[in-house]
Amino acid sequence: MARIIGGLTSSHIPAVGAAYAKKQFEDPYWKPFFEGYPPVHKWLAEQKPDVAVVFYNDHGLNFFLDKMPTFAIGAAFEYENQDEGWGIPALGKFRGYPELSWRIIDGVVADGFDVCSCQEMAVDHGFSVPVQLFWGDQTKNPIKTIPICVNTVQHPVPTPMRCYRFGQAIGRAIASFPGAEKVVILGTGGMSHQLDGKRAGFINKKFDLMCMEKIVDDPEELAKISTADLIHEAGAQGLEFILWLAMRGCLNGKVKRLHQNYHIPISNTAAGTLLLENAA
């Protein structure tokens, strides 16, 4: 059967995509951020996963405030990265894996989650930046991908616990898929940041580091935080941490932390990178 081998986290800030395109890896501002990725590259080269399931939030490319599904799962053969106006070069098309997508969709619906299934879907920087950070040029090193959008924009948004349970349902669906695929799960976004309002520029390092600890060994307790408290502690856009909880829900109860990096600030955002190896 298919097997989830690990979970990864990464920021998906548009400015990161621009810095990557300009190869600013040694720039003093960017170097501490990019230095968090080589250990993950090494692990991916050794493990050679076949599929990446990517939790991210759509930034208006597919859905907007008038139509915002709580959960949307891509079920296409390919996903085109389109220009959003951030000055990031479009990365072309990413390979899909509709057979596994439909297994996930059927599984989560049977588990009580109503989702929007997307047989056509464009992907924005929330998806493309993390995939590029981990795998580089997809024209040379393609990996099959399954994009999963979670609403972090239009309230009411799903609670942290709901996202964690959603991830658990996805984990069960993947484990039921016949085949020998090795799957890695990406939780993207964050960490603490707020881009507007009176708290614009807000970062909470203490809270971020607590989350990076608890998500490893005590995710169930971490998921009990309310949406309001998460926004208070992490900022309006720090709500994206629910994407990390969805990733963690896909994994087993026990995981091994192989690598961690935390850096502030990158474009007024706290950026965290984790490599979690799934227990057998």
Side-chain angles (χ1 to χ4, degrees), residues 21 24-25 29 46 59 72 83 109 134 141 210 212 279:
Q24 294 177 307
F25 309 120
Y29 181 81
E46 293 169 351
H59 298 79
D83 180 21
V109 169
F134 289 128
N141 186 30
M210 182 276 291
M212 292 185 82

Side-chain angles (χ1 to χ4, degrees), residues 53 73 100-108 146 148 170 173-174:
V53 174
I73 301 177
L100 181 54
S101 291
W102 283 111
R103 175 58 65 101
I104 291 172
I105 292 167
D106 289 341
V108 298
I146 298 176
I148 301 182
I170 290 173
I174 292 172

Side-chain angles (χ1 to χ4, degrees), residues 105-125:
I105 292 167
D106 289 341
V108 298
V109 169
D111 257 341
F113 291 88
D114 299 316
V115 299
C116 174
S117 55
C118 304
Q119 297 185 66
E120 290 185 4
M121 193 177 190
V123 290
D124 66 18
H125 70 272

Side-chain angles (χ1 to χ4, degrees), residues 246-262:
M247 174 280 295
R248 183 62 180 87
C250 293
L251 309 183
N252 294 334
K254 291 185 177 182
V255 298
K256 182 178 182 181
R257 176 175 28 217
L258 299 182
H259 174 66
Q260 174 176 321
N261 186 63
Y262 179 80

Side-chain angles (χ1 to χ4, degrees), residues 199-213:
R199 293 206 301 168
F202 173 79
I203 289 176
N204 189 344
K205 179 179 179 179
K206 182 179 179 181
F207 180 75
D208 290 338
L209 295 178
M210 182 276 291
C211 289
M212 292 185 82
E213 288 299 313

